[in-house]
Amino acid sequence: MPRLPITTERLALFGTLLATFGELHPACDHWAQGSKTASRKRLYGEGLVHADGTPATPDSTRPTMTTSTLGRRAVACHVASYTAVQLGATIAVTRAFGYRITPAALLAGAAINAGTHAAIDRGALLLWLAKKTKKTGYIEHCQAVRLDDDGTVTREVNGPGTAWMELDAALHRVIGIGAAAVTTWLTTRPGSR
């Protein structure tokens, strides 16, 4: 089979990667991510807790960590599952169409998505960007109201149905464009194969 012109090959690979990265993001955030991970990944604080998130008492014999450590562990767990699904799907999709991405390119794209995903999902970067772009009003306005089992009504700033979640998804998709472009360029540059 004759090789495609380089521009056609690049555009086809870029489109495939963009679709794979973009369409996998909601599945990884809402299906692959566990409920406990989702609720803990934005935890900050110096208070001591157990691995299950319960507060530690001074006489506790179980191992403890700071609340921030628990939050970092939760986001690391989420990013690990996200990255595994992304890598597996990217390899499966491209190979199903008879194409092989170079390992360095595959890992570069995954690293871009993983590193930025962790930073965004931890929360501080998203809030900083929201302040810089004057989106904090949007976050404050578009919150969700939740009804607890006991009938207590609470507001949630960053769960499903919030502006936070929309801004989060938009950032991940924009970064996916860059990750797809880098992966494409590294795979198709002269001398890469």
Side-chain angles (χ1 to χ4, degrees):
M1 180 173 171
R3 189 175 172 113
L4 292 172
I6 191 68
T7 302
T8 305
E9 179 184 356
R10 286 178 175 159
L11 287 171
L13 179 57
F14 176 74
T16 301
L17 293 172
L18 188 60
T20 303
F21 295 169
E23 297 307 315
L24 278 176
H25 176 256
C28 291
D29 269 1
H30 304 292
W31 288 95
Q33 179 176 215
S35 298
K36 289 180 183 175
T37 300
S39 67
R40 294 177 182 162
K41 66 186 177 184
R42 288 185 196 92
L43 292 177
Y44 285 91
E46 295 304 312
L48 294 179
V49 294
H50 299 288
D52 64 1
T54 58
T57 60
D59 59 340
S60 178
T61 58
R62 296 187 304 165
T64 62
M65 65 188 83
T66 66
T67 306
S68 288
T69 300
L70 182 61
R72 285 190 300 273
R73 283 185 178 187
V75 85
C77 181
H78 169 51
V79 169
S81 68
Y82 172 90
T83 303
V85 170
Q86 178 191 326
L87 282 169
T90 301
I91 292 167
V93 168
T94 54
R95 287 192 180 173
F97 290 111
Y99 197 89
R100 284 187 180 264
I101 296 175
T102 61
L106 186 65
L107 293 176
I112 291 167
N113 278 325
T116 57
H117 201 101
I120 292 166
D121 277 23
R122 196 68 178 109
L125 176 63
L126 188 139
L127 285 175
W128 180 82
L129 287 170
K131 286 177 187 171
K132 290 293 183 185
T133 59
K134 302 188 185 328
K135 296 293 181 195
T136 53
Y138 179 40
I139 291 173
E140 291 165 9
H141 174 72
C142 296
Q143 296 183 18
V145 175
R146 307 284 184 231
L147 184 62
D148 293 340
D149 290 340
D150 65 359
T152 305
V153 176
T154 58
R155 291 185 326 161
E156 186 176 77
V157 71
N158 59 15
T162 65
W164 181 303
M165 194 160 175
E166 297 296 329
L167 292 170
D168 170 276
L171 278 175
H172 291 311
R173 293 190 79 142
V174 166
I175 291 165
I177 294 169
V182 168
T183 304
T184 299
W185 181 79
L186 288 173
T187 297
T188 61
R189 68 185 171 158
S192 64
R193 295 188 214 189

